[in-house]
Amino acid sequence: MILGSIEAGGTKFVCATGTADGKVEKQVRIPTGTPEETIPAVIKFFQDNPVDAIGIGTFGPADIDPASPTYGYITSTPKPGWRDYNFLGAMKAAIDVPYAFTTDVNEAGYAEWRAGAGQGHKNMLYWTVGTGIGAGYIHDGKLLQGFSNPEMGHIMMPQLPGDTYKGRCPYHANHCLEGLAAGPAVEERAGKKGPELAPDDPAWDLEADYLAIACVNAAMILSPDIIVFGGGIMHQKQLLPKIRAKFAEHNNGYVATPDLDDYIVRIGLNDEAGVMGGFFLAADALK
């Protein structure tokens, strides 16, 4: 059984073939242009490398509700050419195999639950913090969704005292987590790129505080067994201890969690999570 995986990002599509245990056989990276530029190259890869099923994780917003008439569409994205684009329909029209379709965050989070930092836990919350902020929640082995995928990166967030930043989110300005704590927000406040900031720069204390508040909110609402962080911002290794400390401060002993060193952790699969998640979802689609 050969499976296909698509990790559809805002800057590149990673397409791969591999096995049900997540091992890659062939892989290609395709720049994300317009659909007319990108999708034919994606289709050709899988025509040249036939598979039994394909798992797709896409940038969004996307409609991942199988009961919806626009299931498989990328919906209200500002990315030129992709708004209201029938991504899944285009793939099905060219390659007739079973598909799984979800968000890129869910795809990576599912891999973390199956084979990474969340392995062995019944419930797991996965955050990705980079250019944007997103989250996926695995409950008893299933991805949580309602009318759409949870948009936890846009939960309302109080602006911390002394932070006068105008916010980055085009929808919520400085009122949501992404607007205050995504990578571009860190960089705009500091006036330099994240990797150029010293590990003890006060910008990281502020970032950790916002992410800790998000984790406390999630703990109160979802009670995950473990919280896993991925994304480019989390390459800053000093962040996790700061997040744990602020979590303890804001929680103030109210919710009993496991030891925070084991409760709030870093991604285990690194850059492989998205592609591996696609294989796992494709295998599920065959079932």
Side-chain angles (χ1 to χ4, degrees):
M1 182 172 63
I2 302 299
L3 302 172
S5 174
I6 301 174
E7 184 183 7
T11 58
K12 68 180 182 300
F13 276 49
V14 180
C15 302
T17 62
T19 59
D21 60 357
K23 293 180 180 177
V24 174
E25 292 192 348
K26 294 183 180 179
Q27 183 171 293
V28 66
R29 286 173 168 79
I30 299 166
T32 305
T34 65
E36 293 74 22
E37 294 166 334
T38 306
I39 296 302
V42 173
I43 290 170
K44 186 176 188 307
F45 173 79
F46 288 108
Q47 288 174 335
D48 293 343
N49 302 280
V51 294
D52 296 296
I54 297 175
I56 300 174
T58 181
F59 67 91
D63 188 341
I64 64 171
D65 179 5
S68 169
T70 56
Y71 171 60
Y73 280 61
I74 293 175
T75 57
S76 57
T77 179
K79 193 161 186 63
W82 292 92
R83 187 181 181 93
D84 299 324
Y85 178 71
N86 188 358
F87 183 0
L88 181 58
M91 293 300 303
K92 283 184 172 181
I95 300 173
D96 185 19
V97 296
Y99 284 85
F101 183 83
T102 190
T103 66
D104 51 356
V105 178
N106 278 346
E107 184 180 51
Y110 192 57
E112 280 297 312
W113 180 77
R114 285 279 298 267
Q119 193 172 16
H121 293 278
K122 185 176 181 180
N123 307 309
M124 183 202 79
L125 175 64
Y126 172 70
W127 290 103
T128 182
V129 187
T131 303
I133 297 179
Y137 187 66
I138 311 292
H139 177 72
D140 200 15
K142 295 181 180 179
L143 288 161
L144 177 68
Q145 71 178 67
F147 65 87
S148 185
N149 58 287
E151 287 285 355
M152 285 185 259
H154 292 269
I155 58 173
M156 296 294 98
M157 181 66 52
Q159 192 160 21
L160 291 167
D163 182 14
T164 59
Y165 178 58
K166 60 182 173 51
R168 177 77 181 186
C169 177
Y171 295 93
H172 310 121
N174 59 351
H175 301 307
C176 76
L177 177 63
E178 182 171 293
L180 290 166
V186 175
E187 293 174 357
E188 284 188 358
R189 273 197 202 88
K192 59 178 70 174
K193 296 290 185 183
E196 298 172 2
L197 292 170
D200 59 352
D201 192 288
W204 299 124
D205 295 321
L206 189 64
E207 177 72 359
D209 210 344
Y210 283 124
L211 296 177
I213 292 170
C215 288
V216 171
N217 287 338
M220 302 298 176
I221 297 168
L222 298 170
S223 299
D225 297 328
I226 189 169
I227 298 174
V228 180
F229 273 101
I233 284 289
M234 299 315 296
H235 288 297
Q236 300 290 333
K237 295 181 179 179
Q238 73 277 13
L239 270 178
L240 273 180
K242 293 176 184 291
I243 293 170
R244 293 173 185 135
K246 281 295 182 179
F247 180 99
E249 180 183 324
H250 293 305
N251 181 39
N252 199 27
Y254 182 68
V255 172
T257 66
D259 184 280
L260 292 181
D261 287 346
D262 299 319
Y263 187 60
I264 302 175
V265 302
R266 192 181 182 280
I267 190 171
L269 300 175
N270 298 312
D271 294 336
E272 290 75 44
V275 168
M276 288 181 68
F279 293 145
F280 295 146
L281 290 167
D284 289 350
L286 281 174
K287 298 175 184 176

PDB file of all heavy atoms in Angstrom, residues 170-203:
ATOM      1  N   PRO A 170      -5.732  41.147  10.529  1.00  0.00           N
ATOM      2  CA  PRO A 170      -6.562  42.051   9.730  1.00  0.00           C
ATOM      3  C   PRO A 170      -8.028  42.041  10.145  1.00  0.00           C
ATOM      4  O   PRO A 170      -8.783  42.941   9.767  1.00  0.00           O
ATOM      5  CB  PRO A 170      -6.392  41.508   8.301  1.00  0.00           C
ATOM      6  CG  PRO A 170      -6.012  40.083   8.466  1.00  0.00           C
ATOM      7  CD  PRO A 170      -5.203  40.019   9.734  1.00  0.00           C
ATOM      8  N   TYR A 171      -8.442  41.037  10.917  1.00  0.00           N
ATOM      9  CA  TYR A 171      -9.824  40.949  11.361  1.00  0.00           C
ATOM     10  C   TYR A 171     -10.013  41.477  12.788  1.00  0.00           C
ATOM     11  O   TYR A 171     -11.028  42.107  13.102  1.00  0.00           O
ATOM     12  CB  TYR A 171     -10.319  39.499  11.297  1.00  0.00           C
ATOM     13  CG  TYR A 171     -10.386  38.953   9.902  1.00  0.00           C
ATOM     14  CD1 TYR A 171      -9.315  38.246   9.369  1.00  0.00           C
ATOM     15  CD2 TYR A 171     -11.508  39.150   9.107  1.00  0.00           C
ATOM     16  CE1 TYR A 171      -9.362  37.735   8.076  1.00  0.00           C
ATOM     17  CE2 TYR A 171     -11.569  38.651   7.816  1.00  0.00           C
ATOM     18  CZ  TYR A 171     -10.494  37.947   7.307  1.00  0.00           C
ATOM     19  OH  TYR A 171     -10.546  37.456   6.026  1.00  0.00           O
ATOM     20  N   HIS A 172      -9.029  41.207  13.676  1.00  0.00           N
ATOM     21  CA  HIS A 172      -9.207  41.504  15.093  1.00  0.00           C
ATOM     22  C   HIS A 172      -8.143  42.441  15.667  1.00  0.00           C
ATOM     23  O   HIS A 172      -8.156  42.708  16.865  1.00  0.00           O
ATOM     24  CB  HIS A 172      -9.206  40.198  15.898  1.00  0.00           C
ATOM     25  CG  HIS A 172     -10.140  39.162  15.361  1.00  0.00           C
ATOM     26  ND1 HIS A 172      -9.718  37.911  14.954  1.00  0.00           N
ATOM     27  CD2 HIS A 172     -11.478  39.203  15.147  1.00  0.00           C
ATOM     28  CE1 HIS A 172     -10.759  37.218  14.513  1.00  0.00           C
ATOM     29  NE2 HIS A 172     -11.829  37.977  14.618  1.00  0.00           N
ATOM     30  N   ALA A 173      -7.234  42.907  14.831  1.00  0.00           N
ATOM     31  CA  ALA A 173      -6.186  43.846  15.256  1.00  0.00           C
ATOM     32  C   ALA A 173      -5.450  43.304  16.476  1.00  0.00           C
ATOM     33  O   ALA A 173      -4.822  42.251  16.414  1.00  0.00           O
ATOM     34  CB  ALA A 173      -6.790  45.221  15.517  1.00  0.00           C
ATOM     35  N   ASN A 174      -5.545  44.001  17.606  1.00  0.00           N
ATOM     36  CA  ASN A 174      -4.830  43.598  18.822  1.00  0.00           C
ATOM     37  C   ASN A 174      -5.768  42.946  19.837  1.00  0.00           C
ATOM     38  O   ASN A 174      -5.526  42.989  21.039  1.00  0.00           O
ATOM     39  CB  ASN A 174      -4.137  44.806  19.461  1.00  0.00           C
ATOM     40  CG  ASN A 174      -5.115  45.910  19.828  1.00  0.00           C
ATOM     41  OD1 ASN A 174      -6.299  45.859  19.471  1.00  0.00           O
ATOM     42  ND2 ASN A 174      -4.629  46.918  20.533  1.00  0.00           N
ATOM     43  N   HIS A 175      -6.824  42.303  19.348  1.00  0.00           N
ATOM     44  CA  HIS A 175      -7.789  41.675  20.252  1.00  0.00           C
ATOM     45  C   HIS A 175      -7.748  40.156  20.223  1.00  0.00           C
ATOM     46  O   HIS A 175      -8.514  39.520  20.951  1.00  0.00           O
ATOM     47  CB  HIS A 175      -9.212  42.140  19.914  1.00  0.00           C
ATOM     48  CG  HIS A 175      -9.403  43.616  20.007  1.00  0.00           C
ATOM     49  ND1 HIS A 175      -9.062  44.341  21.133  1.00  0.00           N
ATOM     50  CD2 HIS A 175      -9.884  44.512  19.112  1.00  0.00           C
ATOM     51  CE1 HIS A 175      -9.331  45.619  20.927  1.00  0.00           C
ATOM     52  NE2 HIS A 175      -9.821  45.754  19.710  1.00  0.00           N
ATOM     53  N   CYS A 176      -6.900  39.561  19.378  1.00  0.00           N
ATOM     54  CA  CYS A 176      -6.851  38.097  19.331  1.00  0.00           C
ATOM     55  C   CYS A 176      -5.413  37.612  19.497  1.00  0.00           C
ATOM     56  O   CYS A 176      -4.452  38.375  19.375  1.00  0.00           O
ATOM     57  CB  CYS A 176      -7.461  37.562  18.037  1.00  0.00           C
ATOM     58  SG  CYS A 176      -6.438  37.721  16.561  1.00  0.00           S
ATOM     59  N   LEU A 177      -5.283  36.320  19.764  1.00  0.00           N
ATOM     60  CA  LEU A 177      -3.971  35.724  20.022  1.00  0.00           C
ATOM     61  C   LEU A 177      -3.041  35.912  18.834  1.00  0.00           C
ATOM     62  O   LEU A 177      -1.890  36.337  19.007  1.00  0.00           O
ATOM     63  CB  LEU A 177      -4.146  34.238  20.341  1.00  0.00           C
ATOM     64  CG  LEU A 177      -2.863  33.435  20.570  1.00  0.00           C
ATOM     65  CD1 LEU A 177      -2.112  33.957  21.788  1.00  0.00           C
ATOM     66  CD2 LEU A 177      -3.196  31.952  20.739  1.00  0.00           C
ATOM     67  N   GLU A 178      -3.497  35.604  17.625  1.00  0.00           N
ATOM     68  CA  GLU A 178      -2.638  35.733  16.459  1.00  0.00           C
ATOM     69  C   GLU A 178      -2.196  37.181  16.244  1.00  0.00           C
ATOM     70  O   GLU A 178      -1.038  37.445  15.908  1.00  0.00           O
ATOM     71  CB  GLU A 178      -3.361  35.216  15.211  1.00  0.00           C
ATOM     72  CG  GLU A 178      -2.500  35.279  13.957  1.00  0.00           C
ATOM     73  CD  GLU A 178      -3.136  34.581  12.768  1.00  0.00           C
ATOM     74  OE1 GLU A 178      -3.278  33.340  12.814  1.00  0.00           O
ATOM     75  OE2 GLU A 178      -3.504  35.271  11.791  1.00  0.00           O
ATOM     76  N   GLY A 179      -3.123  38.109  16.443  1.00  0.00           N
ATOM     77  CA  GLY A 179      -2.791  39.517  16.245  1.00  0.00           C
ATOM     78  C   GLY A 179      -1.720  40.018  17.191  1.00  0.00           C
ATOM     79  O   GLY A 179      -0.982  40.963  16.874  1.00  0.00           O
ATOM     80  N   LEU A 180      -1.601  39.375  18.362  1.00  0.00           N
ATOM     81  CA  LEU A 180      -0.657  39.826  19.377  1.00  0.00           C
ATOM     82  C   LEU A 180       0.607  38.971  19.474  1.00  0.00           C
ATOM     83  O   LEU A 180       1.634  39.457  19.946  1.00  0.00           O
ATOM     84  CB  LEU A 180      -1.341  39.839  20.752  1.00  0.00           C
ATOM     85  CG  LEU A 180      -2.412  40.917  20.955  1.00  0.00           C
ATOM     86  CD1 LEU A 180      -3.243  40.609  22.195  1.00  0.00           C
ATOM     87  CD2 LEU A 180      -1.768  42.289  21.078  1.00  0.00           C
ATOM     88  N   ALA A 181       0.529  37.710  19.028  1.00  0.00           N
ATOM     89  CA  ALA A 181       1.627  36.793  19.353  1.00  0.00           C
ATOM     90  C   ALA A 181       2.175  35.986  18.185  1.00  0.00           C
ATOM     91  O   ALA A 181       3.112  35.195  18.381  1.00  0.00           O
ATOM     92  CB  ALA A 181       1.171  35.828  20.458  1.00  0.00           C
ATOM     93  N   ALA A 182       1.652  36.146  16.975  1.00  0.00           N
ATOM     94  CA  ALA A 182       2.249  35.459  15.832  1.00  0.00           C
ATOM     95  C   ALA A 182       3.640  36.031  15.561  1.00  0.00           C
ATOM     96  O   ALA A 182       3.982  37.126  16.015  1.00  0.00           O
ATOM     97  CB  ALA A 182       1.358  35.601  14.600  1.00  0.00           C
ATOM     98  N   GLY A 183       4.439  35.295  14.804  1.00  0.00           N
ATOM     99  CA  GLY A 183       5.805  35.712  14.529  1.00  0.00           C
ATOM    100  C   GLY A 183       5.947  37.140  14.037  1.00  0.00           C
ATOM    101  O   GLY A 183       6.791  37.906  14.549  1.00  0.00           O
ATOM    102  N   PRO A 184       5.139  37.580  13.052  1.00  0.00           N
ATOM    103  CA  PRO A 184       5.259  38.963  12.576  1.00  0.00           C
ATOM    104  C   PRO A 184       4.976  39.999  13.655  1.00  0.00           C
ATOM    105  O   PRO A 184       5.552  41.093  13.640  1.00  0.00           O
ATOM    106  CB  PRO A 184       4.215  39.034  11.457  1.00  0.00           C
ATOM    107  CG  PRO A 184       4.106  37.632  10.968  1.00  0.00           C
ATOM    108  CD  PRO A 184       4.254  36.775  12.192  1.00  0.00           C
ATOM    109  N   ALA A 185       4.103  39.670  14.614  1.00  0.00           N
ATOM    110  CA  ALA A 185       3.834  40.599  15.710  1.00  0.00           C
ATOM    111  C   ALA A 185       5.067  40.776  16.592  1.00  0.00           C
ATOM    112  O   ALA A 185       5.416  41.893  16.994  1.00  0.00           O
ATOM    113  CB  ALA A 185       2.651  40.106  16.547  1.00  0.00           C
ATOM    114  N   VAL A 186       5.742  39.665  16.888  1.00  0.00           N
ATOM    115  CA  VAL A 186       6.979  39.736  17.678  1.00  0.00           C
ATOM    116  C   VAL A 186       8.000  40.622  16.974  1.00  0.00           C
ATOM    117  O   VAL A 186       8.639  41.495  17.594  1.00  0.00           O
ATOM    118  CB  VAL A 186       7.555  38.324  17.903  1.00  0.00           C
ATOM    119  CG1 VAL A 186       8.900  38.397  18.627  1.00  0.00           C
ATOM    120  CG2 VAL A 186       6.577  37.462  18.687  1.00  0.00           C
ATOM    121  N   GLU A 187       8.129  40.419  15.667  1.00  0.00           N
ATOM    122  CA  GLU A 187       9.155  41.127  14.898  1.00  0.00           C
ATOM    123  C   GLU A 187       8.822  42.608  14.723  1.00  0.00           C
ATOM    124  O   GLU A 187       9.710  43.462  14.782  1.00  0.00           O
ATOM    125  CB  GLU A 187       9.335  40.432  13.549  1.00  0.00           C
ATOM    126  CG  GLU A 187       9.919  39.035  13.698  1.00  0.00           C
ATOM    127  CD  GLU A 187       9.977  38.260  12.397  1.00  0.00           C
ATOM    128  OE1 GLU A 187       9.498  38.787  11.359  1.00  0.00           O
ATOM    129  OE2 GLU A 187      10.499  37.129  12.394  1.00  0.00           O
ATOM    130  N   GLU A 188       7.553  42.927  14.514  1.00  0.00           N
ATOM    131  CA  GLU A 188       7.170  44.331  14.352  1.00  0.00           C
ATOM    132  C   GLU A 188       7.377  45.117  15.645  1.00  0.00           C
ATOM    133  O   GLU A 188       7.802  46.269  15.624  1.00  0.00           O
ATOM    134  CB  GLU A 188       5.721  44.435  13.892  1.00  0.00           C
ATOM    135  CG  GLU A 188       5.533  44.110  12.416  1.00  0.00           C
ATOM    136  CD  GLU A 188       4.131  44.404  11.922  1.00  0.00           C
ATOM    137  OE1 GLU A 188       3.275  44.823  12.728  1.00  0.00           O
ATOM    138  OE2 GLU A 188       3.886  44.221  10.713  1.00  0.00           O
ATOM    139  N   ARG A 189       7.064  44.494  16.778  1.00  0.00           N
ATOM    140  CA  ARG A 189       7.297  45.175  18.060  1.00  0.00           C
ATOM    141  C   ARG A 189       8.788  45.462  18.252  1.00  0.00           C
ATOM    142  O   ARG A 189       9.179  46.540  18.679  1.00  0.00           O
ATOM    143  CB  ARG A 189       6.835  44.283  19.217  1.00  0.00           C
ATOM    144  CG  ARG A 189       5.386  44.391  19.595  1.00  0.00           C
ATOM    145  CD  ARG A 189       5.202  43.789  20.980  1.00  0.00           C
ATOM    146  NE  ARG A 189       3.826  43.392  21.201  1.00  0.00           N
ATOM    147  CZ  ARG A 189       3.336  42.202  20.876  1.00  0.00           C
ATOM    148  NH1 ARG A 189       4.109  41.306  20.295  1.00  0.00           N
ATOM    149  NH2 ARG A 189       2.080  41.917  21.126  1.00  0.00           N
ATOM    150  N   ALA A 190       9.596  44.443  17.966  1.00  0.00           N
ATOM    151  CA  ALA A 190      11.026  44.544  18.269  1.00  0.00           C
ATOM    152  C   ALA A 190      11.799  45.304  17.199  1.00  0.00           C
ATOM    153  O   ALA A 190      12.912  45.781  17.454  1.00  0.00           O
ATOM    154  CB  ALA A 190      11.612  43.144  18.423  1.00  0.00           C
ATOM    155  N   GLY A 191      11.245  45.390  15.987  1.00  0.00           N
ATOM    156  CA  GLY A 191      11.944  46.059  14.900  1.00  0.00           C
ATOM    157  C   GLY A 191      13.057  45.229  14.295  1.00  0.00           C
ATOM    158  O   GLY A 191      13.922  45.751  13.594  1.00  0.00           O
ATOM    159  N   LYS A 192      13.036  43.909  14.550  1.00  0.00           N
ATOM    160  CA  LYS A 192      14.038  43.008  13.967  1.00  0.00           C
ATOM    161  C   LYS A 192      13.466  41.598  13.923  1.00  0.00           C
ATOM    162  O   LYS A 192      12.471  41.298  14.587  1.00  0.00           O
ATOM    163  CB  LYS A 192      15.337  43.034  14.753  1.00  0.00           C
ATOM    164  CG  LYS A 192      15.207  42.645  16.227  1.00  0.00           C
ATOM    165  CD  LYS A 192      16.549  42.634  16.935  1.00  0.00           C
ATOM    166  CE  LYS A 192      17.113  44.016  17.125  1.00  0.00           C
ATOM    167  NZ  LYS A 192      18.356  44.007  17.953  1.00  0.00           N
ATOM    168  N   LYS A 193      14.095  40.736  13.133  1.00  0.00           N
ATOM    169  CA  LYS A 193      13.644  39.366  12.993  1.00  0.00           C
ATOM    170  C   LYS A 193      13.832  38.584  14.298  1.00  0.00           C
ATOM    171  O   LYS A 193      14.769  38.847  15.057  1.00  0.00           O
ATOM    172  CB  LYS A 193      14.416  38.664  11.872  1.00  0.00           C
ATOM    173  CG  LYS A 193      14.189  39.262  10.495  1.00  0.00           C
ATOM    174  CD  LYS A 193      12.780  38.987  10.003  1.00  0.00           C
ATOM    175  CE  LYS A 193      12.582  39.482   8.575  1.00  0.00           C
ATOM    176  NZ  LYS A 193      11.193  39.278   8.098  1.00  0.00           N
ATOM    177  N   GLY A 194      12.945  37.614  14.507  1.00  0.00           N
ATOM    178  CA  GLY A 194      13.010  36.818  15.719  1.00  0.00           C
ATOM    179  C   GLY A 194      14.371  36.199  15.997  1.00  0.00           C
ATOM    180  O   GLY A 194      14.881  36.287  17.125  1.00  0.00           O
ATOM    181  N   PRO A 195      15.001  35.545  14.986  1.00  0.00           N
ATOM    182  CA  PRO A 195      16.322  34.942  15.250  1.00  0.00           C
ATOM    183  C   PRO A 195      17.394  35.953  15.641  1.00  0.00           C
ATOM    184  O   PRO A 195      18.439  35.575  16.177  1.00  0.00           O
ATOM    185  CB  PRO A 195      16.669  34.274  13.914  1.00  0.00           C
ATOM    186  CG  PRO A 195      15.355  34.014  13.267  1.00  0.00           C
ATOM    187  CD  PRO A 195      14.491  35.179  13.667  1.00  0.00           C
ATOM    188  N   GLU A 196      17.151  37.252  15.358  1.00  0.00           N
ATOM    189  CA  GLU A 196      18.124  38.286  15.716  1.00  0.00           C
ATOM    190  C   GLU A 196      17.958  38.761  17.156  1.00  0.00           C
ATOM    191  O   GLU A 196      18.825  39.467  17.682  1.00  0.00           O
ATOM    192  CB  GLU A 196      17.986  39.481  14.769  1.00  0.00           C
ATOM    193  CG  GLU A 196      18.275  39.147  13.306  1.00  0.00           C
ATOM    194  CD  GLU A 196      17.947  40.298  12.376  1.00  0.00           C
ATOM    195  OE1 GLU A 196      17.537  41.370  12.872  1.00  0.00           O
ATOM    196  OE2 GLU A 196      18.082  40.133  11.154  1.00  0.00           O
ATOM    197  N   LEU A 197      16.853  38.380  17.794  1.00  0.00           N
ATOM    198  CA  LEU A 197      16.613  38.797  19.178  1.00  0.00           C
ATOM    199  C   LEU A 197      17.388  37.894  20.136  1.00  0.00           C
ATOM    200  O   LEU A 197      17.428  36.677  19.970  1.00  0.00           O
ATOM    201  CB  LEU A 197      15.120  38.716  19.504  1.00  0.00           C
ATOM    202  CG  LEU A 197      14.205  39.707  18.779  1.00  0.00           C
ATOM    203  CD1 LEU A 197      12.740  39.345  19.003  1.00  0.00           C
ATOM    204  CD2 LEU A 197      14.478  41.125  19.257  1.00  0.00           C
ATOM    205  N   ALA A 198      17.976  38.496  21.141  1.00  0.00           N
ATOM    206  CA  ALA A 198      18.703  37.723  22.150  1.00  0.00           C
ATOM    207  C   ALA A 198      17.721  36.846  22.928  1.00  0.00           C
ATOM    208  O   ALA A 198      16.561  37.217  23.112  1.00  0.00           O
ATOM    209  CB  ALA A 198      19.436  38.656  23.101  1.00  0.00           C
ATOM    210  N   PRO A 199      18.171  35.688  23.414  1.00  0.00           N
ATOM    211  CA  PRO A 199      17.273  34.809  24.171  1.00  0.00           C
ATOM    212  C   PRO A 199      16.650  35.470  25.393  1.00  0.00           C
ATOM    213  O   PRO A 199      15.564  35.081  25.818  1.00  0.00           O
ATOM    214  CB  PRO A 199      18.191  33.650  24.572  1.00  0.00           C
ATOM    215  CG  PRO A 199      19.261  33.631  23.533  1.00  0.00           C
ATOM    216  CD  PRO A 199      19.492  35.077  23.188  1.00  0.00           C
ATOM    217  N   ASP A 200      17.360  36.466  25.979  1.00  0.00           N
ATOM    218  CA  ASP A 200      16.818  37.132  27.167  1.00  0.00           C
ATOM    219  C   ASP A 200      16.127  38.453  26.825  1.00  0.00           C
ATOM    220  O   ASP A 200      15.832  39.256  27.722  1.00  0.00           O
ATOM    221  CB  ASP A 200      17.919  37.374  28.195  1.00  0.00           C
ATOM    222  CG  ASP A 200      19.059  38.239  27.652  1.00  0.00           C
ATOM    223  OD1 ASP A 200      19.067  38.534  26.427  1.00  0.00           O
ATOM    224  OD2 ASP A 200      19.946  38.614  28.451  1.00  0.00           O
ATOM    225  N   ASP A 201      15.827  38.687  25.547  1.00  0.00           N
ATOM    226  CA  ASP A 201      15.122  39.906  25.157  1.00  0.00           C
ATOM    227  C   ASP A 201      13.727  39.910  25.790  1.00  0.00           C
ATOM    228  O   ASP A 201      13.048  38.874  25.825  1.00  0.00           O
ATOM    229  CB  ASP A 201      15.004  39.981  23.635  1.00  0.00           C
ATOM    230  CG  ASP A 201      14.537  41.344  23.156  1.00  0.00           C
ATOM    231  OD1 ASP A 201      13.350  41.670  23.358  1.00  0.00           O
ATOM    232  OD2 ASP A 201      15.356  42.081  22.579  1.00  0.00           O
ATOM    233  N   PRO A 202      13.270  41.050  26.308  1.00  0.00           N
ATOM    234  CA  PRO A 202      11.935  41.123  26.934  1.00  0.00           C
ATOM    235  C   PRO A 202      10.804  40.721  25.990  1.00  0.00           C
ATOM    236  O   PRO A 202       9.709  40.368  26.452  1.00  0.00           O
ATOM    237  CB  PRO A 202      11.823  42.597  27.331  1.00  0.00           C
ATOM    238  CG  PRO A 202      13.226  43.080  27.455  1.00  0.00           C
ATOM    239  CD  PRO A 202      14.022  42.318  26.449  1.00  0.00           C
ATOM    240  N   ALA A 203      11.049  40.767  24.679  1.00  0.00           N
ATOM    241  CA  ALA A 203      10.010  40.357  23.729  1.00  0.00           C
ATOM    242  C   ALA A 203       9.565  38.920  23.973  1.00  0.00           C
ATOM    243  O   ALA A 203       8.384  38.589  23.786  1.00  0.00           O
ATOM    244  CB  ALA A 203      10.530  40.501  22.294  1.00  0.00           C
TER     245      ALA A 203
END
